[in-house]
Each structure stands twice: as structure tokens, then as C-alpha cells.
């Protein structure tokens, strides 16, 4: 009897967890904003770099940018991931939201020249391989 109760609780817990993870409006990655007006007169430094995060890899893993950091992060795998930037001291300097498969977000940050870590802040994901480096030039 005890084990029966315990296992039904477990099923409930698993169901609740799975439910929150899968229910979502079908927001596709295809809805492009298309509002960016290219203007040569304004800051030419914001060059966007595309990053694909997928279970459990980051591509590319090592990035170098000059000027403003602008990363177009796309999740191409079934596991939710974010991309977070931290410095040597462990201070978080920017992050995307948690992206589901097919979602994307552009992460911009104005960082001093230096080397930073890119990683997913969800538990265990960094050690599983969602980790890379970001070198910011002047
Ligand atoms: Cu992750």
C-alpha cells in the first residue's frame, strides 16, 4: 500500500514537470523582425554572430568579436538552453531567456575588451558541453 501511494505521487510529479515544459504557443523561429534599417551613419560595430546551441554542443564554441557583442542564439535541439556571459570573476554580464527548440534570441552586451565564458546556466548544462569562450577586442 505504501509503495502504491509513493509511486502515484511520483507519477504526479513527473506529469506536472513534463506539462510545464511542453505546453507553449507555437512560436516559430521564422517570425523575423525585419525592422532593422541598415544605416551607414550609425555605429558600424554591431556585427551579429550566429550561435547554434544543440544537445549538448555550442557552435561555434570560441568566438571573437570587436566592439559591441551581438549574438544571435538559436536552439536547435529538444533540450531547453540559454546562453549566458560571465567574466573571470563569475559575474553574469548578459543572458538570453531559456530557449526552447526552434526559438532564438539576440543577446547584445557592451563589454570591455577581455575574455569571457559563454555557457548555459541551467543545472549541469555547462559541464555537459554548453560552454565556450568569447573574446572581445577593443
Ligand atoms: Cu542548457
Amino acid at each position: 500500500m505504501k509503495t502504491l501511494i509513493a509511486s502515484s505521487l511520483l507519477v504526479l510529479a513527473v506529469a506536472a514537470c513534463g506539462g510545464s515544459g511542453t505546453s507553449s504557443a507555437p512560436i516559430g523561429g521564422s517570425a523575423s523582425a525585419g525592422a532593422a534599417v541598415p544605416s551607414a551613419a550609425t555605429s558600424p560595430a554591431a556585427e551579429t554572430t550566429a550561435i547554434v546551441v544543440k544537445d549538448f554542443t555550442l557552435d561555434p564554441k570560441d568566438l571573437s568579436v570587436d566592439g559591441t557583442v551581438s549574438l544571435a542564439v538559436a536552439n536547435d535541439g529538444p533540450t531547453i538552453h540559454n546562453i549566458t556571459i560571465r567574466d573571470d570573476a563569475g559575474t553574469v554580464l548578459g543572458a538570453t531567456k531559456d530557449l526552447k527548440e526552434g526559438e532564438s534570441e539576440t543577446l547584445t552586451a557592451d563589454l570591455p575588451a577581455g575574455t569571457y565564458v559563454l555557457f548555459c546556466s541551467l543545472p549541469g548544462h555547462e559541464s555537459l558541453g554548453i560552454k565556450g569562450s568569447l573574446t572581445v577586442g577593443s
Side-chain angles (χ1 to χ4, degrees), residues 45-53 58 63 65-75 81-87 91-99 103-111 116-121 130 132-134 136:
E47 201 174 290
T48 301
T49 305
I51 298 186
V52 175
V53 57
L58 193 57
L63 298 176
V65 300
D66 286 325
T68 302
V69 175
S70 179
L71 307 175
V73 180
N75 185 358
H81 295 295
N82 61 59
I83 289 298
T84 304
I85 302 172
R86 72 162 185 257
D87 64 12
T91 304
V92 169
L93 302 166
T96 66
K97 65 177 182 178
D98 292 344
L99 300 168
E103 289 186 324
S104 58
E105 181 180 329
T106 299
L107 170 62
T108 57
D110 255 318
L111 302 176
Y116 302 87
V117 175
L118 292 177
F119 68 107
C120 174
S121 67
I130 309 294
S133 71
L134 171 67
V136 178

Side-chain angles (χ1 to χ4, degrees), residues 14 19 23 31-33 36 39-42 54 62 65 69 73 79 87 108 126 128-129 132-133:
V14 169
S23 68
S32 59
S39 163
T42 51
K54 191 174 181 176
D62 301 302
V65 300
V69 175
V73 180
T79 306
D87 64 12
T108 57
E126 179 181 352
L128 285 169
S133 71

Side-chain angles (χ1 to χ4, degrees), residues 8-22:
S8 18
L9 284 175
L10 183 64
V11 167
L12 280 176
V14 169
C17 185
S20 66
T22 51

